[in-house]
């Protein structure tokens, strides 16, 4: 449950910050007349994302007839979700300081073109987060014991709702948080979640007969790590840490989690080119770029 909540919180806050930047720019530019187009684009992006998630679920439960094909489908979606998670967390770390300026520039160009361009720009700014959320949620929920059931959906919705509240408070300048630290901590946790998703994908590949070693266990600590106990369920639900993984599952988990965590937590090299003081706040530019419309 916590893994899907974290996905909703992280992806939802990214999308909320994007929308806040667009809305704040229009408000401060005295272009409130274009706000309906922004909300139209956002609404279409959300609807398409929900439809994409439903299509994934329908494909898995209704279109695929054999257990082998379902296992293979879940394995492929798991690997794709890991790729998206990895790309997303590194992209956000690199682009956080420039995303506000890029969005303002694109929105300025869209305003010069017309209403459809504004709606299209808002749609494109949000749809990436929505499609990522749908894919990652499906893979994470399937790797957990509960699957994509009501509990997982509620956890995802709770994460998104929390993100919307935080984004609104940031927009109204009612709260300030260090988003740089927030994205670092959530990024590290998502790497561990992604490692669990990859481990689950390897297991599905083994069950589908694509990879060998389904019965070759790396170890079995079921007597120590009780899968029915609360801590066993918590580790399995969050990071897919199980008491009896296969050798390939363990190799995949460690081979992904260790180097990716090291690369992500390593401080990026400082640029030799001096950066203007206005562009180097203590938190990412996203925070400073969401001013209150009353400012």
């Amino acid at each position: 449950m916590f893994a899907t909540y974290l996905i909703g919180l992280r992806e939802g806050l990214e999308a909320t910050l994007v929308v806040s930047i667009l809305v704040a720019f229009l408000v401060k530019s005295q272009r409130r007349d274009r706000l309906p187009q922004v909300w139209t684009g956002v609404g279409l992006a959300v609807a398409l994302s929900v439809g994409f998630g439903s299509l994934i679920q329908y494909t898995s439960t209704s279109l695929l007839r054999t257990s082998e094909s379902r296992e293979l489908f879940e394995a492929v979606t798991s690997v794709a979700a890991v790729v998206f998670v990895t790309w997303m967390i590194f992209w956000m770390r690199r682009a956080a300081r420039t995303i506000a300026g890029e969005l303002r520039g694109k929105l300025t160009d869209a305003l010069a073109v017309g209403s459809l361009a504004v709606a299209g720009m808002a749609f494109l700014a949000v749809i990436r987060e929505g499609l990522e959320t749908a894919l990652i949620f499906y893979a994470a929920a399937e790797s957990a014991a509960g699957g994509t059931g009501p509990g997982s959906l509620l956890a995802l919705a709770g994460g998104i709702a929390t993100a919307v509240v935080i984004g609104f408070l940031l927009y109204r300048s009612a709260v300030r948080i260090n988003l740089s630290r927030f994205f670092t901590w959530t990024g590290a946790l998502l790497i561990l979640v992604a490692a669990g998703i990859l481990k689950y994908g390897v297991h599905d590949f083994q069950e589908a007969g694509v990879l060998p070693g389904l019965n070759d266990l790396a170890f079995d600590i079921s007597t120590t790590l009780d899968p029915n106990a609360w801590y066993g369920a918590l580790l399995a639900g969050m990071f897919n840490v199980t008491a009896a993984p296969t050798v390939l599952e363990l190799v995949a988990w460690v081979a992904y989690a260790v180097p990716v965590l090291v690369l992500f937590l390593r401080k990026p090299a400082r640029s030799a080119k001096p950066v203007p003081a206005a562009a180097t706040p203590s938190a990412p530019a996203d925070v400073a770029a969401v001013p209150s419309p009353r400012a």
Side-chain angles (χ1 to χ4, degrees):
M1 295 294 182
F2 179 77
T4 53
Y5 175 85
L6 179 64
I7 291 168
L9 177 63
R10 167 78 186 222
E11 294 284 345
L13 188 55
E14 288 185 19
T16 301
L17 289 173
V18 167
V19 175
S20 298
I21 291 169
L22 299 179
V23 172
F25 178 75
L26 290 176
V27 171
K28 292 180 72 68
S29 303
Q30 304 298 318
R31 296 302 305 270
R32 292 176 179 267
D33 59 306
R34 295 303 187 189
L35 287 176
Q37 285 78 46
V38 170
W39 293 119
T40 298
V42 171
L44 289 174
V46 171
L48 182 60
S49 300
V50 172
F52 177 66
S54 300
L55 178 61
I56 295 176
Q57 180 68 16
Y58 178 75
T59 300
S60 175
T61 57
S62 301
L63 296 183
L64 301 177
R65 300 297 183 183
T66 64
S67 60
E68 290 80 5
S69 61
R70 286 192 293 270
E71 298 291 350
L72 186 59
F73 177 78
E74 291 177 4
V76 171
T77 54
S78 295
V79 173
V82 171
V83 172
F84 275 113
V85 168
T86 308
W87 176 81
M88 175 262 293
I89 58 178
F90 281 98
W91 176 85
M92 176 53 74
R93 188 181 68 169
R94 183 181 68 254
R97 295 183 180 276
T98 60
I99 187 173
E102 292 177 0
L103 286 172
R104 289 190 189 111
K106 291 178 180 178
L107 186 55
T108 299
D109 295 338
L111 285 170
V113 175
S115 300
L116 288 179
V118 173
M121 189 267 168
F123 172 83
L124 293 175
V126 176
I127 189 61
R128 178 180 62 83
E129 306 292 346
L131 296 181
E132 283 180 3
T133 301
L135 180 61
I136 298 169
F137 163 72
Y138 173 81
E142 286 297 324
S143 67
T148 54
S152 295
L153 287 172
L154 286 175
L156 179 71
I160 295 174
T162 304
V164 171
V165 171
I166 293 174
F168 177 77
L169 292 176
L170 286 172
Y171 175 77
R172 302 296 300 181
S173 298
V175 67
R176 288 186 64 83
I177 62 174
N178 189 327
L179 287 185
S180 178
R181 185 172 299 173
F182 171 85
F183 283 125
T184 298
W185 279 102
T186 57
L189 287 173
L190 278 178
I191 288 172
L192 296 178
V193 171
I197 293 174
L198 180 61
K199 174 177 173 287
Y200 179 79
V202 169
H203 183 79
D204 278 339
F205 274 127
Q206 289 178 313
E207 289 194 336
V210 176
L211 292 176
L214 180 60
N215 298 315
D216 298 332
L217 299 182
F219 52 78
D220 189 346
I221 56 171
S222 301
T223 56
T224 303
L225 182 62
D226 185 0
N228 296 318
W230 68 268
Y231 53 86
L234 181 65
L235 289 173
M238 287 179 61
F239 310 124
N240 200 20
V241 174
T242 54
T246 67
V247 173
L248 281 181
E249 287 176 4
L250 180 63
V251 168
W253 200 99
V254 175
Y256 173 84
V258 174
V260 175
L261 267 176
V262 170
L263 289 174
F264 179 72
L265 296 176
R266 185 182 62 181
K267 292 183 178 181
R270 292 182 178 275
S271 174
K273 183 179 178 180
V275 182
T280 56
S282 59
D286 309 52
V287 183
V290 188
S292 168
R294 298 170 294 177

